[in-house]
């Protein structure tokens, strides 16, 4: 059963926690990204855990292997249960991140970003192949490097799950049929992403900017569960 993750992309802690209060007990996961983490720091992860959420820290680490391994340890100590690294950081970086996570007291899941869902064909610097092909190649590497999962578009999930059934797929770029794509490019509806085999659906603005965020979350959950 796919799980819903709400992306708490807010410019202040109070707004993020106010939304979390509305969604507690309804949406199982909160995602803390760069904006909120830079403002609020690790304390916001603790607050969300105390509210009963699973916490995903989405800082997309990309650095030399030692630096990333240390960051993974720090993220786990801060309460992250799932975190992201860039698969393009390469084999040594990815394997050291996985090893660092495994050695933690509460090992977080480590997911590798493949091709950001904001990229369309020809938009990724230096990459001429279609995003889906490149995401598929990176998924194969993530599988062989023992990552727990990958971040990809729902449009790529079926192919990835077909070739790499062990890998979990976390899919941003989720848009209900009537919603704006915003800056996302490779989008999918909640129902289509679930049908494609996505394990986690990440939704930000269609919930956070809705007039009634709780109703928007319920509508997405209903769509996910009727698949
Ligand atoms: O508002 P929206 O639903 O587009 O938010 C998507 C969230 O998922 C954002 O927080 C963004 O940083 C994150 N994300 C993404 N694409 C990726 C990885 C993460 O959109 N490949």
């Amino acid at each position: 059963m796919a799980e819903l993750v709400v992306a708490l992309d807010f410019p202040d802690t109070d707004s993020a926690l106010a939304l979390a209060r509305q969604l507690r007990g309804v949406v199982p996961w909160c995602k803390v990204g760069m904006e909120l983490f830079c403002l609020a720091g690790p304390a916001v992860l603790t607050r969300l855990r105390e509210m009963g959420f699973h916490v995903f820290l989405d800082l997309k680490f990309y650095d030399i292997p030692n630096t990333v391994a240390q960051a993974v340890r720090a993220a786990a100590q801060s309460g992250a249960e799932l975190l992201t690294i860039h698969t393009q950081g390469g084999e040594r970086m990815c394997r050291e991140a996985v090893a660092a996570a495994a050695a933690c007291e509460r090992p977080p899941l480590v997911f590798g970003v493949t091709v950001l869902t904001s990229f369309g064909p020809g938009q990724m610097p230096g990459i001429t192949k279609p995003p889906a092909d490149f995401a598929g190649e990176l998924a194969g590497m993530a599988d062989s490097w023992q990552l727990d999962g990958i971040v990809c578009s729902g449009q790529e999930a079926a192919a990835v799950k077909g070739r790499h059934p062990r890998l979990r797929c976390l899919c941003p770029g989720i848009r209900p049929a009537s919603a704006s794509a915003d800056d996302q490019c490779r989008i999918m509806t909640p129902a289509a992403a679930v049908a494609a085999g996505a394990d986690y659906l990440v939704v930000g603005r269609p919930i956070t900017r809705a007039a009634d965020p709780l109703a928007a979350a319920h509508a997405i959950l209903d769509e996910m569960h009727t698949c």
Side-chain angles (χ1 to χ4, degrees):
M1 177 71 76
E3 295 187 57
L4 181 58
V5 181
V6 62
L8 295 178
D9 294 323
F10 284 102
D12 64 89
T13 310
D14 289 349
S15 305
L17 292 179
L19 184 77
R21 257 178 238 114
Q22 287 188 60
L23 301 180
R24 73 194 298 184
V26 175
V27 175
W29 284 84
C30 283
K31 180 174 95 72
V32 175
M34 298 175 195
E35 182 184 16
L36 184 58
F37 192 76
C38 287
L39 287 162
V44 75
L45 275 61
T46 308
R47 298 284 296 275
L48 292 167
R49 293 282 301 265
E50 286 168 356
M51 290 169 77
F53 288 101
H54 292 296
V55 175
F56 163 23
L57 183 61
D58 184 27
L59 299 181
K60 302 182 182 68
F61 297 140
Y62 181 101
D63 210 312
I64 61 172
N66 178 64
T67 300
V68 168
Q70 301 287 24
V72 166
R73 283 186 199 101
Q77 278 173 30
S78 298
E81 298 170 88
L82 192 160
L83 58 85
T84 43
I85 62 176
H86 269 285
T87 310
Q88 282 182 284
E91 179 166 6
R92 278 174 58 212
M93 190 201 88
C94 289
R95 285 194 187 276
E96 290 201 26
V98 168
C104 292
E105 196 181 329
R106 288 187 303 274
L109 297 168
V110 179
F111 277 48
V113 175
T114 57
V115 178
L116 294 171
T117 41
S118 52
F119 281 126
Q123 292 177 349
M124 202 174 177
I127 307 296
T128 51
K129 56 185 65 163
D133 292 358
F134 192 48
E137 268 181 38
L138 292 171
M141 295 177 208
D143 193 14
S144 66
W145 301 337
Q146 299 302 308
L147 271 64
D148 296 296
I150 58 155
V151 184
C152 65
S153 162
Q155 297 176 15
E156 290 123 35
V160 169
K161 299 293 279 189
R163 284 195 210 111
H164 311 284
R166 186 190 68 81
L167 279 182
R168 285 181 245 181
C169 286
L170 182 144
C171 299
I174 301 297
R175 289 292 181 273
S178 58
S180 159
D182 303 306
D183 57 347
Q184 298 283 13
C185 186
R186 301 189 335 279
I187 60 174
M188 233 185 189
T189 64
V194 170
D199 298 286
Y200 301 91
L201 270 56
V202 178
V203 182
R205 287 160 288 185
I207 293 176
T208 59
R209 295 196 183 169
D212 184 344
L214 181 60
H218 273 300
I220 290 169
L221 286 163
D222 288 348
E223 190 178 327
M224 288 169 66
H225 295 148
T226 50
C227 288

